[in-house]
């Protein structure tokens, strides 16, 4: 697979793998042996960039915690010298299932030690603050990350779902390698950050690049009712969402037909063509789907095609999840 560089020197596969869904947010967790096999196959396909988080926890049928970091660490241990692993800190879950932002230095340091242990590594390649915590100045978080870098426990750091103001504050203290924000054909509001990223030489890791699977065109008119599946609250997977997004669906199908590609590949190829510092990290449990996504790297959209798609998107009123409301996680965390 082709590679891209995030920030100054983080060389990664042009498409990374979001690992959250193996244990978290998409219904019952995967069988761990099958998940490890799929992760190993993804390395063989050419993926070298893997994304996880402290918060991506699932539960087996007996109620035991399944840590995504442990799964990723075990599966990638044989390839450790050939892959880059990113993980995150800064979100905790209370006993009653509420998501709480907590970027206090003592919390982050404890989180880092836990992540290193679960991943089975002596350092983390890219360590994100999962969300900005209004109660803790970004300068303080950045200073702590600088300490971690000096200690050799992380090599680089980043921020997820960050705006320009907080990004500049943090970067002034300790250079940020990459942001990880939501971005897709359906979620383009973070394009306003492009000039800032170019000015500061910061990469853009795009999460939910397929709008949580909607842009694969594999779920037409399918609704999700499992409360442990985040798609159950996402408007694009409701009857109204399918109807109001039909124009986009048809547009993607049109390009897929013309290019002899899949809708997912068109969606990812569009993103790769936008900027050389964008690295999408679609998630999947399926090796077949992971291989399909990798094929987008070899699919080239012409500048005029990207422009035509953008102009069409500008005219559309799309219905999509924006991340502002997340489900109660009390069930995932075992209740109050």
């Amino acid at each position: 697979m082709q590679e891209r560089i995030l920030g100054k020197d983080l060389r990664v596969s042009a498409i990374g793998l979001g690992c959250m869904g193996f244990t978290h947010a998409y219904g019952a967790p995967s069988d761990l042996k099958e998940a490890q096999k799929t992760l190993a196959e993804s390395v063989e396909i050419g993926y070298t960039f893997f994304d996880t988080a402290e918060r991506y926890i699932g539960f087996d049928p007996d109620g035991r915690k399944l840590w995504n970091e442990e799964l990723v660490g075990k599966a990638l241990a044989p390839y450790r010298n050939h892959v880059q692993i990113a993980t995150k800190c800064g979100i905790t879950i209370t006993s009653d299932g509420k998501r709480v932002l907590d970027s206090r230095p003592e919390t982050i340091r404890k989180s880092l030690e836990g992540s290193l242990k679960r991943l089975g590594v002596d350092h983390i390649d890219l360590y994100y603050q999962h969300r900005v915590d209004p109660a803790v100045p970004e300068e303080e978080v950045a200073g702590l990350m600088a300490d971690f870098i000096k200690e050799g426990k992380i090599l680089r750091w980043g921020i997820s779902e960050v705006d320009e103001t907080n990004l500049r504050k943090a970067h002034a203290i300790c250079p940020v390698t990459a942001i990880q924000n939501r971005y897709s054909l359906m979620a383009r509001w973070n394009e306003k950050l492009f000039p800032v990223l170019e000015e500061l030489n910061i990469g853009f890791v795009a999460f939910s690049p397929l709008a949580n699977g909607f842009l694969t065109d594999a779920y037409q008119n399918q609704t999700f009712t499992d409360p442990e599946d985040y798609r159950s609250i996402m408007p694009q997977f409701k009857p109204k969402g399918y109807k109001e997004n039909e124009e986009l669906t048809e547009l993607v199908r049109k390009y897929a037909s013309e290019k002899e590609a899949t809708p997912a590949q068109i969606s990812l190829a569009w993103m790769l063509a936008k900027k050389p510092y964008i690295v999408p990290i679609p998630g999947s449990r399926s090796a077949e789907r992971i291989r399909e996504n990798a094929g987008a790297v070899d699919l080239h959209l012409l500048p005029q095609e990207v422009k035509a798609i953008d102009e069409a998107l500008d005219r559309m009123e799309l219905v999509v999840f924006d991340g502002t409301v997340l489900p109660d996680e009390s069930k995932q965390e075992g209740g109050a």
Side-chain angles (χ1 to χ4, degrees):
M1 189 188 295
Q2 298 172 20
E3 294 182 321
R4 292 194 164 191
I5 295 177
L6 297 172
K8 180 181 178 182
D9 61 359
L10 180 56
R11 186 177 296 273
V12 298
S13 51
I15 295 177
L17 181 60
C19 300
M20 178 180 75
F22 287 112
T23 61
H24 181 74
Y26 287 91
S30 301
D31 176 82
L32 294 186
K33 289 185 178 179
E34 284 300 311
Q36 288 184 33
K37 179 181 177 182
T38 299
L39 283 163
E41 287 182 29
S42 69
V43 177
E44 296 172 4
I45 291 168
Y47 288 81
T48 65
F49 188 37
F50 296 84
D51 183 85
T52 181
E54 175 188 37
R55 195 64 271 133
Y56 299 161
I57 301 171
F59 291 86
D60 70 12
D62 295 322
R64 291 174 297 213
K65 279 189 177 181
L66 300 175
W67 294 88
N68 197 272
E69 289 177 322
E70 286 187 352
L71 165 65
V72 170
K74 289 178 181 178
L76 298 181
Y79 316 101
R80 185 65 187 102
N81 294 331
H82 307 290
V83 300
Q84 308 291 333
I85 299 175
T87 191
K88 311 177 193 74
C89 63
I91 295 179
T92 60
I93 305 297
T94 63
S95 60
D96 59 354
K98 304 299 182 183
R99 296 165 59 92
V100 177
L101 300 177
D102 187 353
S103 287
R104 292 174 296 171
E106 59 270 28
T107 301
I108 292 181
R109 186 169 285 278
K110 181 179 178 180
S111 293
L112 174 60
E113 295 300 332
S115 291
L116 289 168
K117 182 177 179 179
R118 287 186 292 271
L119 287 166
V121 299
D122 60 8
H123 69 270
I124 292 168
D125 301 299
L126 179 60
Y127 195 48
Y128 293 106
Q129 182 186 17
H130 207 149
R131 293 292 186 272
V132 172
D133 183 352
V136 181
E138 276 306 283
E139 296 92 336
E140 186 173 351
V141 176
L144 182 63
M145 295 297 177
D147 290 342
F148 291 159
I149 292 172
K150 291 177 183 177
E151 294 168 15
K153 294 182 177 180
I154 70 173
L155 301 185
R156 308 163 191 86
W157 83 293
I159 314 173
S160 182
E161 286 289 75
V162 66
D163 61 20
E164 178 179 352
T165 299
N166 284 301
L167 180 58
R168 288 189 180 277
K169 288 179 180 178
H171 188 77
I173 302 300
C174 182
V176 173
T177 291
I179 66 169
Q180 185 181 131
N181 282 21
R182 186 181 300 273
Y183 187 47
S184 72
L185 284 167
M186 302 179 74
R188 298 166 63 214
W189 50 84
N190 282 308
E191 289 183 352
K192 63 188 177 184
L193 292 175
F194 288 172
V196 182
L197 300 178
E198 290 161 14
E199 174 193 342
L200 302 178
N201 189 26
I202 296 172
F204 188 160
V205 176
F207 77 83
S208 296
L210 298 175
N212 300 92
F214 183 91
L215 290 168
T216 66
D217 201 18
Y219 302 107
Q220 281 304 308
N221 299 314
Q222 179 177 339
T223 56
F224 297 87
T225 58
D226 183 348
E228 293 188 25
D229 190 326
Y230 280 8
R231 289 170 293 187
S232 65
I233 67 165
M234 294 181 177
Q236 67 263 38
F237 294 107
K238 305 298 183 182
K240 179 180 179 182
Y242 286 116
K243 181 176 178 59
E244 296 194 13
N245 293 327
E246 190 172 6
E247 185 178 359
L248 172 60
T249 301
E250 291 300 326
L251 177 69
V252 175
R253 287 173 179 168
K254 169 182 173 292
Y255 277 94
S257 177
E258 291 177 357
K259 299 288 185 178
E260 298 184 342
T262 67
Q265 289 171 339
I266 293 295
S267 301
L268 294 171
W270 166 84
M271 183 175 297
L272 292 171
K274 292 286 285 189
K275 298 291 181 181
Y277 51 80
I278 294 176
V279 175
I281 52 167
S284 180
R285 305 183 187 194
S286 163
E288 180 180 356
R289 180 72 72 184
I290 290 169
R291 187 178 299 277
E292 174 191 331
N293 291 341
V297 173
D298 299 317
L299 179 63
H300 301 289
L301 294 178
L302 299 173
Q304 57 266 36
E305 291 173 322
V306 174
K307 181 180 179 182
I309 291 172
D310 286 349
E311 290 175 347
L313 293 173
D314 289 340
R315 297 190 295 269
M316 296 179 192
E317 292 290 336
L318 299 172
V319 175
V320 65
F321 180 66
D322 63 7
T324 56
V325 179
L326 288 172
D328 185 304
E329 297 199 11
S330 58
K331 188 172 183 179
Q332 287 94 326
E333 287 297 315

